[in-house]
Amino acid sequence: MRAYIPRLLAALTVLLLTGVSLYALLFYAWPLDDQIYNLSMFSESEGEGGWEEWDGDTKGWTVFVQEGEFRHELDAFGWGGYNGLDYPGQTVYFSRVMTEELDSPTLRLSIANRNVAVFLDGDVLHTDCPELDNRVGHLALPTPGWDREPVVIGLPSDYVGKTLTIAQSNPEISDSPSVQVLLCGVELYCSYAAESVLIAESFRAAIPATLSFVLGVLAMAALLWQGFHGRWDMGLAALAVTALSFMLALLSQTPFTYAYFGEISADPGALCRAASLSSLLVFLGQRGGRLRWLLWGLAVLHGSLTLLGQGVVTSVFATPSELAGIAGLLASAVLALLWRREGRRFYRMFAPLYLGFLALAAAGTMGYSLFTPEWGYNILLQFQASINNGIYRFFLWKWADLAFAAGGIAAAVEVVRQESERHMETRLLIQRGTLAQESYENLRSQNEEILSLRHNLRHHATALRGLCQKGDLARVAAYLDALGAEDMSPGGYTVHPAVNIVLTAMVSRGTRLGIRSDVRAQLPGQLTIPDNDLCALLMNLLENALEANEKAPLDAEKWIKVILHVRGDYLYIGVENTRFEPVNFDQEEGVYRSTKGDGLHGYGLKSVRSIARKYHSELRIEVLEGRFSASTALLLPE
């Protein structure tokens, strides 16, 4: 109990420090919400069901189109959009009188893939297209083919009471004049609140981007490490590409990206996202079995279509590529269950993680929407806009994020498990090498004894011949009795060759250390348990027994007892030895550990326990007064 308390205190300290550090890390990921006005066009009224359709509150905005002096207002429809354009792609205006008073007022426009111009009492405050005639009623704003960062604009201090007008472009996605228009989001901040928004956005991008970078580097390091040990796992290369592409996608969508790199015809964020998803599907297929070609085919289709359309949302390849990505994610979920049933180790962890993340995301979205109706309403608006415009990135990228998180965790656990097994195999190889060396030394020693016996046999024969010639039969009998009393080398312990080699080597080592051995082995010449498992289990038990005897004080009696026999369908293996020191009991795991001081600490009994469970048994350990016993009964395979 005393040993358990320090461990508990250490664990609590680590958890406390981790929690405080994590809170400090995430603290700046949330913006200040005081003195922030959400002036986006629509709000929802709460009802018994959690939220209802738009109640008609326009936040004071008037929405219209204007060509020269001719102007007419648009008609609102239920979920936050407007009908009534004169022609597809027409510039839309919305204006209101500013009444909110703030120090250092700042506007933030969430514009997605739109161009905007902002006016205050008709004067231009900002325009994305300075080369155009920037007057209300004279603008024909083009629509960019990529998503942009939000636009942040400072207002003059005398803005209160003046009319704010925002002009917004619209894509030509329909031949109908009544095409639906969704307006950009508008928020009004004081200056430090706007800065906190930028800081929060930076943290929200930097934290997952850094984690993705670390995962990508670790995947490449694991690839090289395993390759240097003779096993190239190309699935790790695909995982590294997934993580690094995901990082680039996050960085490409941060504020001011276009200020650094300028306007690009392609959408780098969409291209990086597509590369990340395609690589993820390749990785999942590489870890799978039958039907893996389905994931690989969808990965190639999704990546190729996105590349042909340069990731631009208005490309004719946009919708097919995103549907191919959704099909790949759906196929990965179904195949994950199939491959898990087939016993594939990676999918034993990935499948429950993947499906669990999907279920938690769905439940969390529904639950949070009930408690935060405005957030749920915005999600519903994005959902409707995705369906109406045929752009499915809203589903695709969030779904891909969950698959990537599950795949990264499962891959990390798999690599750690493989390294643990590799260390175990290395230890067994070392043991086998030691056993082979000891077997060689025993054979060489036995050969020398045989040569010595052959040499002495000639002298014995000469002496006996002389006594026979003299007819002294009494002395002949005495001579033969003396020969029979000589200490002869021990014979075989069992007819099973592999077990006999292990017993011979280990007992010989014990004899050199002054340890008395009692071996009772009744085994057939062959067993259905492979020699490598059988010898590894027996050798680990005998090594621990010899180790315990080495700690005996001077003149103490040292011994080991080994029992092996077959009863019915079970092979019993028991090793008992003297004990002179307390054993090392791990209270946390409830197991006894080896007390070796080398780098292989604790692997012996772990290996024995693992082999025993492989044959539907458990390792039974008894610690009695002055002795230690370990035994198991392995179920013989048919």
Side-chain angles (χ1 to χ4, degrees):
M1 183 65 181
R2 292 180 179 178
Y4 180 75
I5 293 177
R7 295 181 184 181
L8 178 60
L9 293 177
L12 291 176
T13 302
V14 170
L15 289 175
L16 179 62
L17 291 175
T18 302
V20 171
S21 301
L22 184 61
Y23 175 78
L25 180 64
L26 298 178
F27 182 78
Y28 288 101
W30 303 100
L32 299 173
D33 55 3
D34 58 338
Q35 299 190 31
I36 298 178
Y37 294 94
N38 181 10
L39 302 181
S40 297
M41 182 63 64
F42 306 109
S43 66
E44 62 285 336
S45 61
E46 295 188 16
E48 296 180 358
W51 53 269
E52 298 175 351
E53 295 188 15
W54 173 51
D55 60 2
D57 182 10
T58 62
K59 303 287 184 70
W61 294 100
T62 300
V63 183
F64 58 94
V65 292
Q66 183 171 340
E67 299 291 339
E69 298 300 325
F70 177 74
R71 162 178 169 172
H72 72 86
E73 295 184 9
L74 301 183
D75 299 323
F77 66 91
W79 291 110
Y82 276 84
N83 295 322
L85 294 182
D86 296 327
Y87 53 87
Q90 187 177 14
T91 299
V92 174
Y93 301 87
F94 49 108
S95 64
R96 72 188 296 273
V97 176
M98 303 298 293
T99 59
E100 298 79 9
E101 295 188 19
L102 291 174
D103 294 331
S104 301
T106 304
L107 277 179
R108 182 174 184 269
L109 307 181
S110 301
I111 57 179
N113 62 327
R114 302 289 192 270
N115 280 324
V116 294
V118 181
F119 306 87
L120 189 63
D121 273 354
D123 297 328
V124 179
L125 295 180
H126 168 85
T127 179
D128 290 327
C129 304
E131 71 279 3
L132 300 180
D133 184 358
N134 284 280
R135 292 181 297 162
V136 175
H138 296 271
L139 274 171
L141 292 172
T143 298
W146 56 85
D147 288 345
R148 304 173 50 194
E149 72 278 358
V151 172
V152 178
I153 307 167
L155 296 180
S157 58
D158 59 347
Y159 74 99
V160 177
K162 295 185 178 181
T163 299
L164 178 72
T165 302
I166 300 174
Q168 171 188 304
S169 67
N170 289 289
E172 298 183 19
I173 58 175
S174 173
D175 294 331
S176 171
S178 62
V179 63
Q180 297 173 353
V181 176
L182 295 176
L183 302 177
C184 66
V186 183
E187 292 176 303
L188 178 65
Y189 305 90
C190 64
S191 59
Y192 64 82
E195 292 174 1
S196 76
V197 171
L198 296 177
I199 293 173
E201 289 178 344
S202 299
F203 265 77
R204 290 177 182 177
I207 292 174
T210 302
L211 292 176
S212 298
F213 173 76
V214 171
L215 178 60
V217 171
L218 291 178
M220 291 187 291
L223 171 67
L224 293 177
W225 176 261
Q226 294 188 1
F228 292 161
H229 288 83
R231 180 177 177 269
W232 291 98
D233 185 354
M234 300 314 298
L236 292 175
L239 181 62
V241 174
T242 300
L244 297 179
S245 299
F246 184 77
M247 177 200 70
L248 293 175
L250 292 174
L251 295 179
S252 67
Q253 295 167 358
T254 55
F256 305 116
T257 299
Y258 293 95
Y260 285 104
F261 299 102
E263 190 171 296
I264 306 174
S265 59
D267 185 349
L271 291 175
C272 291
R273 282 280 193 169
S276 178
L277 177 54
S278 295
S279 300
L280 178 62
L281 294 177
V282 170
F283 167 70
L284 295 178
Q286 191 272 337
R287 287 295 192 267
R290 295 180 299 110
L291 300 178
R292 65 173 61 181
W293 56 266
L294 179 59
L295 290 185
W296 290 344
L298 290 171
V300 172
L301 181 62
H302 171 66
S304 301
L305 290 173
T306 305
L307 188 61
L308 288 173
Q310 297 183 307
V312 178
V313 71
T314 55
S315 168
V316 295
F317 297 102
T319 297
S321 68
E322 290 162 5
L323 289 176
I326 291 175
L329 291 172
L330 180 61
S332 69
V334 175
L335 291 175
L337 293 175
L338 174 63
W339 289 333
R340 184 175 187 272
R341 291 185 62 184
E342 291 180 356
R344 297 195 171 270
R345 186 162 55 182
F346 171 81
Y347 282 94
R348 284 203 293 266
M349 173 163 285
F350 173 77
L353 276 177
Y354 185 20
L355 299 179
F357 285 170
L358 290 174
L360 285 175
T365 300
M366 295 178 63
Y368 195 71
S369 298
L370 292 176
F371 290 101
T372 312
E374 182 179 356
W375 182 83
Y377 186 74
N378 290 332
I379 293 294
L380 192 59
L381 286 179
Q382 295 182 57
F383 178 87
Q384 186 193 25
S386 299
I387 297 298
N388 291 340
N389 297 330
I391 304 300
Y392 300 97
R393 296 181 183 183
F394 175 74
F395 313 100
L396 178 62
W397 289 351
K398 291 176 175 56
W399 192 349
D401 292 347
L402 299 176
F404 171 55
I409 294 173
V413 172
E414 182 186 38
V415 169
V416 171
R417 183 181 296 157
Q418 288 175 348
E419 281 303 298
S420 176
E421 291 176 353
R422 190 182 66 81
H423 281 294
M424 181 71 71
E425 291 173 358
T426 301
R427 183 178 188 275
L428 293 178
L429 289 175
I430 293 174
Q431 287 180 336
R432 291 180 183 180
T434 302
L435 177 61
Q437 181 65 28
E438 291 184 353
S439 298
Y440 168 75
E441 294 295 335
N442 288 332
L443 290 174
R444 185 174 62 81
S445 176
Q446 291 175 9
N447 186 59
E448 291 177 353
E449 292 179 2
I450 292 173
L451 292 176
S452 176
L453 288 173
R454 291 182 62 184
H455 177 75
N456 293 333
L457 183 61
R458 290 197 300 270
H459 297 291
H460 293 316
T462 301
L464 288 172
R465 187 180 296 110
L467 292 174
C468 289
Q469 289 175 352
K470 292 180 180 181
D472 193 349
L473 297 181
R475 294 189 64 182
V476 169
Y479 199 107
L480 291 174
D481 290 340
L483 287 177
E486 289 185 2
D487 183 24
M488 304 297 292
S489 298
Y493 295 100
T494 176
V495 295
H496 191 287
V499 173
N500 188 63
I501 291 174
V502 172
L503 292 174
T504 301
M506 304 303 280
V507 169
S508 297
R509 185 196 298 181
T511 301
R512 291 194 295 270
L513 297 173
I515 302 172
R516 177 173 55 85
S517 302
D518 181 9
V519 179
R520 303 175 188 177
Q522 299 176 356
L523 300 178
Q526 286 186 332
L527 292 169
T528 53
I529 297 177
D531 291 346
N532 59 332
D533 286 341
L534 184 58
C535 293
L537 185 149
L538 182 59
M539 192 160 25
N540 276 304
L541 291 179
L542 290 172
E543 274 194 345
N544 287 340
L546 294 176
E547 172 201 333
N549 277 278
E550 289 176 1
K551 300 176 181 178
L554 293 175
D555 301 328
E557 183 181 4
K558 298 180 287 186
W559 55 267
I560 61 173
K561 178 186 287 187
V562 183
I563 299 177
L564 298 96
H565 56 71
V566 176
R567 294 292 184 269
D569 295 331
Y570 290 88
L571 167 63
Y572 175 82
I573 300 176
V575 176
E576 188 176 348
N577 56 269
T578 50
R579 179 175 65 87
F580 301 97
E581 292 184 358
V583 296
N584 183 11
F585 180 70
D586 190 325
Q587 294 183 351
E588 182 178 350
E589 295 190 12
V591 296
Y592 292 92
R593 295 190 180 277
S594 170
T595 56
K596 294 182 179 67
D598 54 20
L600 299 175
H601 171 79
Y603 276 102
L605 291 180
K606 280 185 178 180
S607 175
V608 172
R609 186 174 295 104
S610 175
I611 295 172
R613 290 173 178 173
K614 181 178 179 180
Y615 296 96
H616 309 285
S617 180
E618 287 291 339
L619 178 64
R620 181 183 179 187
I621 293 178
E622 292 181 309
V623 181
L624 304 175
E625 184 66 29
R627 58 193 179 95
F628 182 91
S629 173
S631 61
T632 186
L634 308 181
L635 178 62
L636 296 170
E638 295 181 359

